[in-house]
Amino acid sequence: METKHSENKKKRTALRQSMLSIRRNLSALDIEDAGYKIANILVKHPKLQQERIIGSYVSTSGELSSRNINASLLKIGHTLALPRIDIEHKGLMDFYRFDKDDELVENRFHILEPENNPERFLGFEQLEVLIVPLVAFDRQGNRLGMGGGYYDRALKKLSAECLTIGVAYDFQCIDEVPVERWDMPLDEIITPTKHLIF
C-alpha cells in the first residue's frame, strides 16, 4: 500500500512537470510582461513604502522575469539581496547585496548569481522582505518549488517579522498544493492580476 508521503511525492512530481512544460512554452514577451506587471504592484505595496532590505531572485528557465522587479526595487531605494547557491552544501543558498551596476556570474547550473564577496553578505535574519519564485501555489499560501529545497530551508531561517511574497503567473494557481511537513507557506502571493494575502 502506498504511503501518504509517496503518493504526495508522485502528485508533486506530476504537477511540477506539467507546470514546467507550460512555462517552457511561454514567449519572451509573456515572461517580461508578467514581471513588469508584478513590479508595478510591488512598488505600490504598503509595506515597501519605506526602505527595506529585500531578498529577490534572478529568473531562469521560464520563471517570470525578475529584471523589472529588481530594477524597480533598486530605483526606489531598497537594498536588494540576491541568492548565491552554496556549492559545498546541497540545498543551501546565501544572499549578497546587489547594486545596479554590479556584475552577475554564471554558476555551474547556468544560473546567474552575485559574486561571492564577504563584504556584501547579508544574513537571513537581516532580510525584511523575501520575494520567492515558485512553480505552483494554492489559495492557502502553499507553494510548490523546483524540488531542490533551497527556498524551504531559506524560509525557515528568516526572522518572524520578514514578509514573504511569492510571485507567479496566473496559470500557476491550483486548487490544492500537495504539501509536505517541511513546506513553508507564504504570507502573500502576487500574480499579474491578483494580490493574495493570507
Side-chain angles (χ1 to χ4, degrees), residues 22-39:
I22 299 169
R23 217 167 72 174
R24 276 192 292 271
N25 289 315
L26 295 172
S27 71
L29 190 63
D30 292 334
I31 291 167
E32 280 296 324
D33 185 55
Y36 175 76
K37 286 176 175 157
I38 286 170

Side-chain angles (χ1 to χ4, degrees), residues 9 125 157 195:
K9 196 174 175 185
E125 69 289 346
K157 296 176 187 171
H195 185 173

Side-chain angles (χ1 to χ4, degrees), residues 3-196:
T3 64
K4 176 100 167 67
H5 172 67
S6 62
E7 190 188 316
N8 245 3
K9 196 174 175 185
K10 277 187 182 168
K11 280 186 190 166
R12 286 161 75 95
T13 302
L15 176 59
R16 192 176 283 120
Q17 285 170 346
S18 95
M19 286 292 175
L20 292 177
S21 161
I22 299 169
R23 217 167 72 174
R24 276 192 292 271
N25 289 315
L26 295 172
S27 71
L29 190 63
D30 292 334
I31 291 167
E32 280 296 324
D33 185 55
Y36 175 76
K37 286 176 175 157
I38 286 170
N40 284 341
I41 297 168
L42 278 170
V43 297
K44 296 181 188 126
H45 194 295
K47 299 258 173 73
L48 301 189
Q49 296 314 301
Q50 61 194 78
E51 289 177 17
R52 304 274 185 196
I53 299 172
I54 303 178
S56 184
Y57 69 105
V58 180
S59 48
T60 182
S61 317
E63 286 175 338
L64 65 87
S65 174
S66 58
R67 202 169 58 86
N68 276 303
I69 293 171
N70 294 342
S72 301
L73 295 173
L74 282 170
K75 192 174 177 184
I76 58 176
H78 295 294
T79 297
L80 183 68
L82 295 177
R84 181 179 174 85
I85 289 170
D86 182 337
I87 53 172
E88 304 294 316
H89 305 97
K90 189 178 184 308
L92 296 184
M93 64 183 179
D94 293 307
F95 280 82
Y96 291 81
R97 199 175 79 240
F98 183 83
D99 294 321
K100 188 163 69 84
D101 298 320
D102 291 351
E103 289 290 314
L104 290 167
V105 291
E106 195 175 295
N107 69 17
R108 65 179 179 192
F109 304 113
H110 308 296
I111 297 169
L112 293 171
E113 53 185 23
E115 290 181 328
N116 182 5
N117 178 346
E119 289 177 13
R120 290 175 162 266
F121 174 82
L122 286 166
F124 285 98
E125 69 289 346
Q126 293 173 271
L127 300 179
E128 296 173 279
V129 179
L130 181 62
I131 295 169
V132 182
L134 45 85
V135 173
F137 70 95
D138 63 25
R139 291 177 174 275
Q140 286 69 53
N142 298 308
R143 64 176 276 278
L144 180 71
M146 289 292 282
Y150 289 96
Y151 278 93
D152 287 313
R153 289 180 181 88
L155 289 163
K156 287 180 171 68
K157 296 176 187 171
L158 300 169
S159 80
E161 289 74 47
C162 182
L163 175 69
T164 58
I165 304 174
V167 291
Y169 299 103
D170 286 297
F171 70 79
Q172 290 175 305
C173 183
I174 62 167
D175 289 339
E176 189 182 356
V177 169
V179 292
E180 292 287 8
R181 59 185 165 70
W182 56 78
D183 287 333
M184 299 286 289
L186 299 168
D187 297 321
E188 304 184 5
I189 290 174
I190 298 175
T191 75
T193 66
K194 297 181 191 70
H195 185 173
L196 307 172

